[in-house]
Amino acid sequence: MIRTLSILAILTLAATGCSDSTQVSDDLNASQGDASNPTGRTARVDSEPGARAVRIGEGGPRFDACQAVGKVSGLRSAKLDVFIAPFDSAAKKDTLDLGAMVYICSRSHDQQWFGIVYDNAAEADATGAGDCGVSSPVRTKQDYDGPCESGWVESNFVKLVAG
């Protein structure tokens, strides 16, 4: 008798678990609110092919978004080229003067390039680098999106001054 009740209980549970079926297509349709952009990704604004964004927050949420400040030095000419990616063949986007202060936010794997944030237009803060919103922590690693400029420079020409 107990054995019969156990078998009936198992059959009842199995039947209840299978009675409510959900199709994968139902979940897919519910998750895609925007049919034109189902992944929710957005395109980079004003980006060129081959551009690589400067990442901030690489030290984690307890550290400043950019952990160091550097000064442009050791140039053979009066200007340091700023590139859209950490490669010699990348397109140039700007130049920096000798003595310009920059935030060092990321580095290339081979340490030959710094991903920097800089402000050529605004007055400098106490570090001399301007207020670019990277002097305090951010929650997650992310691409820098302003208000200042960003790009890649050869690390040989940036001297660490703070951080």
Side-chain angles (χ1 to χ4, degrees), residues 67-99:
Q67 295 183 12
V69 175
K71 182 177 183 178
V72 175
S73 64
L75 296 175
R76 291 180 215 109
S77 63
K79 302 277 187 180
L80 176 63
D81 292 328
V82 180
F83 295 89
I84 65 170
F87 312 107
D88 287 325
S89 60
K92 294 177 188 173
K93 70 180 284 184
D94 203 353
T95 58
L96 294 172
D97 293 325
L98 183 66

Tab-separated table of all heavy atoms in Angstrom, residues 67-99:
chain	number	residue	atom	x	y	z
A	67	GLN	N	44.275	56.117	-12.605
A	67	GLN	CA	45.076	56.011	-11.392
A	67	GLN	C	46.362	56.823	-11.381
A	67	GLN	O	47.067	56.829	-10.379
A	67	GLN	CB	45.402	54.552	-11.132
A	67	GLN	CG	44.176	53.739	-10.840
A	67	GLN	CD	44.526	52.300	-10.522
A	67	GLN	OE1	45.665	51.953	-10.302
A	67	GLN	NE2	43.522	51.459	-10.515
A	68	ALA	N	46.705	57.487	-12.464
A	68	ALA	CA	47.965	58.235	-12.485
A	68	ALA	C	47.824	59.504	-13.310
A	68	ALA	O	46.942	59.626	-14.159
A	68	ALA	CB	49.078	57.365	-13.058
A	69	VAL	N	48.731	60.436	-13.046
A	69	VAL	CA	48.841	61.665	-13.827
A	69	VAL	C	50.246	61.700	-14.395
A	69	VAL	O	51.211	61.348	-13.715
A	69	VAL	CB	48.579	62.914	-12.950
A	69	VAL	CG1	48.804	64.193	-13.742
A	69	VAL	CG2	47.163	62.878	-12.388
A	70	GLY	N	50.356	62.083	-15.657
A	70	GLY	CA	51.657	62.158	-16.299
A	70	GLY	C	51.869	63.488	-16.987
A	70	GLY	O	50.921	64.253	-17.200
A	71	LYS	N	53.122	63.758	-17.317
A	71	LYS	CA	53.507	64.996	-17.984
A	71	LYS	C	54.242	64.639	-19.271
A	71	LYS	O	55.142	63.797	-19.261
A	71	LYS	CB	54.424	65.799	-17.059
A	71	LYS	CG	54.871	67.117	-17.596
A	71	LYS	CD	55.719	67.818	-16.541
A	71	LYS	CE	56.134	69.191	-17.013
A	71	LYS	NZ	56.922	69.890	-15.982
A	72	VAL	N	53.853	65.276	-20.376
A	72	VAL	CA	54.507	65.035	-21.663
A	72	VAL	C	55.938	65.549	-21.583
A	72	VAL	O	56.162	66.727	-21.257
A	72	VAL	CB	53.728	65.708	-22.819
A	72	VAL	CG1	54.476	65.553	-24.127
A	72	VAL	CG2	52.315	65.139	-22.919
A	73	SER	N	56.913	64.679	-21.843
A	73	SER	CA	58.326	65.067	-21.751
A	73	SER	C	59.171	64.212	-22.695
A	73	SER	O	58.705	63.196	-23.212
A	73	SER	CB	58.832	64.904	-20.311
A	73	SER	OG	58.800	63.550	-19.939
A	74	GLY	N	60.416	64.640	-22.902
A	74	GLY	CA	61.365	63.866	-23.689
A	74	GLY	C	61.095	63.827	-25.180
A	74	GLY	O	61.536	62.909	-25.863
A	75	LEU	N	60.394	64.819	-25.686
A	75	LEU	CA	60.045	64.834	-27.106
A	75	LEU	C	61.226	65.264	-27.974
A	75	LEU	O	62.030	66.104	-27.567
A	75	LEU	CB	58.884	65.789	-27.366
A	75	LEU	CG	57.551	65.437	-26.725
A	75	LEU	CD1	56.544	66.547	-26.994
A	75	LEU	CD2	57.030	64.119	-27.245
A	76	ARG	N	61.277	64.704	-29.168
A	76	ARG	CA	62.261	65.147	-30.153
A	76	ARG	C	61.756	66.374	-30.903
A	76	ARG	O	62.521	67.139	-31.448
A	76	ARG	CB	62.558	64.011	-31.130
A	76	ARG	CG	63.306	62.881	-30.478
A	76	ARG	CD	63.593	61.751	-31.463
A	76	ARG	NE	63.503	60.502	-30.715
A	76	ARG	CZ	62.543	59.614	-30.837
A	76	ARG	NH1	61.589	59.797	-31.701
A	76	ARG	NH2	62.539	58.529	-30.108
A	77	SER	N	60.450	66.517	-30.929
A	77	SER	CA	59.827	67.691	-31.554
A	77	SER	C	58.986	68.392	-30.484
A	77	SER	O	58.957	67.971	-29.339
A	77	SER	CB	58.958	67.263	-32.740
A	77	SER	OG	57.897	66.448	-32.294
A	78	ALA	N	58.276	69.427	-30.853
A	78	ALA	CA	57.513	70.213	-29.878
A	78	ALA	C	56.152	69.603	-29.544
A	78	ALA	O	55.493	70.033	-28.615
A	78	ALA	CB	57.319	71.631	-30.401
A	79	LYS	N	55.708	68.612	-30.302
A	79	LYS	CA	54.369	68.054	-30.118
A	79	LYS	C	54.427	66.531	-29.998
A	79	LYS	O	55.264	65.870	-30.610
A	79	LYS	CB	53.470	68.396	-31.315
A	79	LYS	CG	53.311	69.875	-31.592
A	79	LYS	CD	52.251	70.465	-30.722
A	79	LYS	CE	51.998	71.918	-31.143
A	79	LYS	NZ	51.002	72.541	-30.346
A	80	LEU	N	53.487	65.985	-29.212
A	80	LEU	CA	53.315	64.536	-29.087
A	80	LEU	C	52.021	64.158	-29.794
A	80	LEU	O	50.965	64.729	-29.500
A	80	LEU	CB	53.249	64.126	-27.610
A	80	LEU	CG	52.970	62.647	-27.336
A	80	LEU	CD1	54.091	61.764	-27.890
A	80	LEU	CD2	52.796	62.413	-25.846
A	81	ASP	N	52.103	63.221	-30.719
A	81	ASP	CA	50.917	62.786	-31.448
A	81	ASP	C	50.031	61.918	-30.561
A	81	ASP	O	50.509	61.053	-29.825
A	81	ASP	CB	51.318	61.984	-32.692
A	81	ASP	CG	51.996	62.844	-33.742
A	81	ASP	OD1	51.663	64.040	-33.848
A	81	ASP	OD2	52.875	62.323	-34.463
A	82	VAL	N	48.718	62.153	-30.654
A	82	VAL	CA	47.715	61.343	-29.971
A	82	VAL	C	47.011	60.530	-31.055
A	82	VAL	O	46.546	61.087	-32.050
A	82	VAL	CB	46.695	62.215	-29.212
A	82	VAL	CG1	45.656	61.349	-28.516
A	82	VAL	CG2	47.406	63.128	-28.223
A	83	PHE	N	46.938	59.217	-30.865
A	83	PHE	CA	46.370	58.315	-31.861
A	83	PHE	C	45.017	57.771	-31.410
A	83	PHE	O	44.686	57.806	-30.224
A	83	PHE	CB	47.330	57.139	-32.104
A	83	PHE	CG	48.648	57.543	-32.711
A	83	PHE	CD1	49.718	57.903	-31.903
A	83	PHE	CD2	48.817	57.567	-34.085
A	83	PHE	CE1	50.937	58.270	-32.453
A	83	PHE	CE2	50.028	57.929	-34.641
A	83	PHE	CZ	51.091	58.289	-33.831
A	84	ILE	N	44.249	57.219	-32.361
A	84	ILE	CA	42.939	56.641	-32.050
A	84	ILE	C	43.050	55.227	-31.511
A	84	ILE	O	42.082	54.679	-30.995
A	84	ILE	CB	41.996	56.667	-33.276
A	84	ILE	CG1	42.529	55.777	-34.403
A	84	ILE	CG2	41.744	58.088	-33.741
A	84	ILE	CD1	41.548	55.551	-35.538
A	85	ALA	N	44.227	54.621	-31.619
A	85	ALA	CA	44.453	53.252	-31.145
A	85	ALA	C	45.937	53.112	-30.806
A	85	ALA	O	46.756	53.907	-31.263
A	85	ALA	CB	44.046	52.247	-32.224
A	86	PRO	N	46.305	52.103	-30.032
A	86	PRO	CA	47.698	51.946	-29.623
A	86	PRO	C	48.580	51.260	-30.673
A	86	PRO	O	49.159	50.199	-30.427
A	86	PRO	CB	47.584	51.097	-28.345
A	86	PRO	CG	46.356	50.282	-28.554
A	86	PRO	CD	45.422	51.166	-29.323
A	87	PHE	N	48.675	51.887	-31.844
A	87	PHE	CA	49.478	51.349	-32.936
A	87	PHE	C	50.114	52.503	-33.705
A	87	PHE	O	49.494	53.546	-33.882
A	87	PHE	CB	48.618	50.542	-33.916
A	87	PHE	CG	47.709	49.544	-33.257
A	87	PHE	CD1	46.343	49.757	-33.198
A	87	PHE	CD2	48.224	48.394	-32.677
A	87	PHE	CE1	45.504	48.845	-32.585
A	87	PHE	CE2	47.384	47.476	-32.065
A	87	PHE	CZ	46.027	47.698	-32.017
A	88	ASP	N	51.320	52.299	-34.203
A	88	ASP	CA	51.982	53.329	-35.017
A	88	ASP	C	51.194	53.655	-36.276
A	88	ASP	O	51.212	54.776	-36.761
A	88	ASP	CB	53.388	52.872	-35.424
A	88	ASP	CG	54.359	52.910	-34.260
A	88	ASP	OD1	54.229	53.803	-33.417
A	88	ASP	OD2	55.248	52.047	-34.210
A	89	SER	N	50.511	52.654	-36.821
A	89	SER	CA	49.778	52.850	-38.071
A	89	SER	C	48.376	53.430	-37.871
A	89	SER	O	47.672	53.691	-38.841
A	89	SER	CB	49.677	51.522	-38.822
A	89	SER	OG	48.992	50.570	-38.025
A	90	ALA	N	47.967	53.646	-36.620
A	90	ALA	CA	46.637	54.203	-36.350
A	90	ALA	C	46.588	55.668	-36.776
A	90	ALA	O	47.607	56.352	-36.850
A	90	ALA	CB	46.314	54.085	-34.863
A	91	ALA	N	45.393	56.144	-37.014
A	91	ALA	CA	45.197	57.547	-37.411
A	91	ALA	C	45.489	58.482	-36.232
A	91	ALA	O	45.190	58.160	-35.080
A	91	ALA	CB	43.769	57.760	-37.885
A	92	LYS	N	46.069	59.622	-36.546
A	92	LYS	CA	46.325	60.645	-35.523
A	92	LYS	C	45.057	61.448	-35.316
A	92	LYS	O	44.359	61.777	-36.264
A	92	LYS	CB	47.453	61.563	-35.969
A	92	LYS	CG	48.788	60.882	-36.065
A	92	LYS	CD	49.849	61.830	-36.581
A	92	LYS	CE	51.123	61.064	-36.862
A	92	LYS	NZ	52.139	61.885	-37.512
A	93	LYS	N	44.774	61.776	-34.063
A	93	LYS	CA	43.575	62.559	-33.786
A	93	LYS	C	43.874	63.920	-33.181
A	93	LYS	O	43.038	64.802	-33.191
A	93	LYS	CB	42.613	61.778	-32.899
A	93	LYS	CG	43.068	61.593	-31.468
A	93	LYS	CD	42.066	60.819	-30.640
A	93	LYS	CE	40.881	61.655	-30.264
A	93	LYS	NZ	39.936	60.990	-29.401
A	94	ASP	N	45.080	64.089	-32.605
A	94	ASP	CA	45.393	65.342	-31.924
A	94	ASP	C	46.894	65.384	-31.644
A	94	ASP	O	47.604	64.419	-31.917
A	94	ASP	CB	44.615	65.391	-30.602
A	94	ASP	CG	44.404	66.803	-30.069
A	94	ASP	OD1	44.960	67.755	-30.641
A	94	ASP	OD2	43.670	66.944	-29.068
A	95	THR	N	47.358	66.496	-31.080
A	95	THR	CA	48.734	66.602	-30.614
A	95	THR	C	48.731	67.275	-29.245
A	95	THR	O	47.806	68.032	-28.916
A	95	THR	CB	49.623	67.433	-31.569
A	95	THR	OG1	49.068	68.735	-31.712
A	95	THR	CG2	49.753	66.759	-32.916
A	96	LEU	N	49.755	66.974	-28.459
A	96	LEU	CA	49.911	67.580	-27.145
A	96	LEU	C	51.252	68.300	-27.090
A	96	LEU	O	52.241	67.830	-27.645
A	96	LEU	CB	49.863	66.513	-26.052
A	96	LEU	CG	48.538	65.790	-25.866
A	96	LEU	CD1	48.695	64.634	-24.894
A	96	LEU	CD2	47.475	66.758	-25.371
A	97	ASP	N	51.275	69.432	-26.397
A	97	ASP	CA	52.498	70.214	-26.236
A	97	ASP	C	53.403	69.589	-25.175
A	97	ASP	O	52.928	68.897	-24.266
A	97	ASP	CB	52.165	71.644	-25.812
A	97	ASP	CG	51.440	72.414	-26.897
A	97	ASP	OD1	51.742	72.192	-28.083
A	97	ASP	OD2	50.561	73.233	-26.550
A	98	LEU	N	54.677	69.896	-25.278
A	98	LEU	CA	55.646	69.515	-24.257
A	98	LEU	C	55.201	70.113	-22.926
A	98	LEU	O	54.816	71.274	-22.861
A	98	LEU	CB	57.034	70.045	-24.641
A	98	LEU	CG	58.185	69.686	-23.720
A	98	LEU	CD1	58.439	68.184	-23.747
A	98	LEU	CD2	59.439	70.426	-24.123
A	99	GLY	N	55.179	69.319	-21.868
A	99	GLY	CA	54.750	69.787	-20.554
A	99	GLY	C	53.270	69.617	-20.274
A	99	GLY	O	52.820	69.867	-19.154
